[in-house]
Amino acid sequence: MMSSDIEAARQLDRHIRSPRQIWLTGAGISYGAGLPLMYPLTDRVFHLLEKNVEDAEAFELVKAVRADLPAELHIEHVLSHFGDLVALAERAKDASAFVDGKRVPKTKLQAAHHTILRHIRDILRWGYIPASKTSAEQEGKPGKPIVRIEHHRRFIRALYKINRAGLDERREAIQFITTNYDTLLEDALALELVPYIDGFSGGAIAGWDEHSFNLLASGSAIKAAITKLHGSIDWYRSGQENGRVFRVRHDDAYPDRSDNNGNVVIYPQSTKYMASREDPFGFLFQRFRGLLSAERQQVLFVCGYSFGDDHIDAIIEHQLLHVDSKTTLVALSKSRTPKLKAWGESSAGERVFVLAEDGLYRGRAGPFFPPTASIVRDWWSFKGTSSLLENGLPADIAEAIE
């Protein structure tokens, strides 16, 4: 009988070459590109709000809202809270909502919300690296961005152009699901000449069109589909185009982008557009559910995501634990988080793999192939993931399963 570690490694090797792949990515894959993780991003936004004189009114509102939330929450929770306040104001007789015991008009709530979005957009467009024990703070600026794309390009090349002999003929388009606002995945696909769709119809300027995903029909030349669950820094809702969402170039004067006429579309909000065809978020989350609910063999790879979003985790858990599910989860995570441990010990355990710093887990078993003084397991990192795709399993594991 084959030992558990050898069997787990052989199954993992097959999954890496699966013809049907879904990749869920989070902020961790963009950290090496010069973009901050969620908490440093939060600190940076608050710093800019406090520093800029023109943001004084917005800063006071944001400070009051933040004081009303648990200390460990980050900028997305603040955005969500502002969305709720705007929704309350829209239903109120005087078009206002309570903040810190005072009635605040909807227009001021929206202005503060838009200001947060603008800062997030600019930070992620130009890049920002907070100071550390070994390096000084780095701030990208217009004309002098510090964002790099080589890590993403390497990842895309590894997925599409390396060690894939005979696979393209039977592989479907790869599904990329991301919580990131940046455009690095899309840009890397474009630079590597991989045809993709993202839910918009058009060119450099494009309008939201959920039907564009139908281009993935059998025989299509499309090789990738991107589902951005939390929106993007180049998405914009136009107040002058009946609330339609566009993907835009940052330096164009159209559509009108003044705060009174629209805003960057980042993170799902409780607005009049939610649950309507003018808002992409409802469709995108439903699409994510649909991809995971397919009753056929497929692999969900997770990289750079910490399993800290209850909404996304619930979708994964519901579909993974479904009695008819044939989805295998391969989580590239520095540690085996409580969520991953629980899933590994569930009825879906045999379909749950975790590639962690301390070794390989399958279900409730592991860690197999732990690191040694001469062997480091970095397969959980974005760089290590690309190496895994390029070269296959680490040499010591490959030798063990031969």
Side-chain angles (χ1 to χ4, degrees), residues 167-364:
L167 186 59
D168 284 340
E169 290 75 13
R170 60 191 181 91
R171 186 168 70 178
E172 299 181 15
I174 295 178
Q175 301 285 345
F176 294 97
I177 315 294
T178 185
T179 61
N180 293 354
Y181 312 136
D182 63 71
T183 64
L184 289 169
L185 268 179
E186 301 98 295
D187 296 343
L189 285 165
L191 290 169
E192 295 300 327
L193 303 180
V194 177
Y196 73 90
I197 54 174
D198 62 356
F200 287 81
S201 291
I205 293 181
W208 169 251
D209 177 14
E210 63 188 53
H211 299 295
S212 65
F213 282 107
N214 295 336
L215 294 172
L216 288 172
S218 179
S220 170
I222 301 297
K223 293 186 177 181
I226 298 179
T227 301
K228 303 192 77 167
L229 295 177
H230 288 174
S232 182
I233 60 172
D234 64 347
W235 292 10
Y236 174 80
R237 188 189 308 283
S238 173
Q240 294 188 338
E241 300 287 344
N242 299 316
R244 288 187 63 198
V245 174
F246 293 89
R247 189 186 65 225
V248 300
R249 293 176 296 222
H250 77 271
D251 54 353
D252 281 344
Y254 50 83
D256 189 330
R257 292 183 226 180
S258 65
D259 281 351
N260 292 326
N261 289 302
N263 61 281
V264 181
V265 181
I266 290 176
Y267 201 67
Q269 301 299 323
S270 300
T271 72
K272 63 183 179 181
Y273 299 106
M274 285 298 287
S276 79
R277 297 185 69 85
E278 297 299 338
D279 196 286
F281 293 116
F283 172 84
L284 293 172
F285 273 92
Q286 186 56 42
R287 185 168 195 277
F288 181 38
R289 292 187 192 93
L291 288 171
L292 293 188
S293 66
E295 296 176 10
R296 51 180 172 157
Q297 300 288 345
Q298 61 183 359
V299 182
L300 170 64
F301 294 90
V302 180
C303 184
Y305 172 71
S306 61
F307 298 94
D309 187 309
D310 291 340
H311 191 183
I312 293 173
D313 293 350
I315 293 173
I316 296 173
E317 181 170 307
H318 176 77
Q319 303 299 349
L320 191 66
L321 273 56
H322 192 280
V323 65
D324 295 321
S325 176
K326 295 180 181 178
T327 297
T328 294
L329 171 65
V330 177
L332 302 120
S333 175
K334 186 172 185 179
S335 63
R336 189 185 184 217
T337 66
K339 184 79 67 176
L340 291 172
K341 185 175 185 292
W343 292 343
E345 294 175 351
S346 72
S347 58
E350 291 299 296
R351 293 182 283 110
V352 177
F353 293 75
V354 182
L355 281 65
E357 191 174 37
D358 62 350
L360 169 64
Y361 293 85
R362 185 189 185 190
R364 63 179 66 246

Side-chain angles (χ1 to χ4, degrees), residues 44 48 64 77 105 132 162 220 227 257 300 350 360 387 389 398:
R44 183 63 179 169
L48 292 174
H77 301 110
S132 68
I162 298 175
S220 170
T227 301
R257 292 183 226 180
L300 170 64
E350 291 299 296
L360 169 64
S387 180
L389 294 170

Side-chain angles (χ1 to χ4, degrees), residues 125-138:
R125 177 175 292 156
W126 310 119
Y128 174 72
I129 302 174
S132 68
K133 293 180 180 179
T134 58
S135 61
E137 176 186 77
Q138 296 181 55

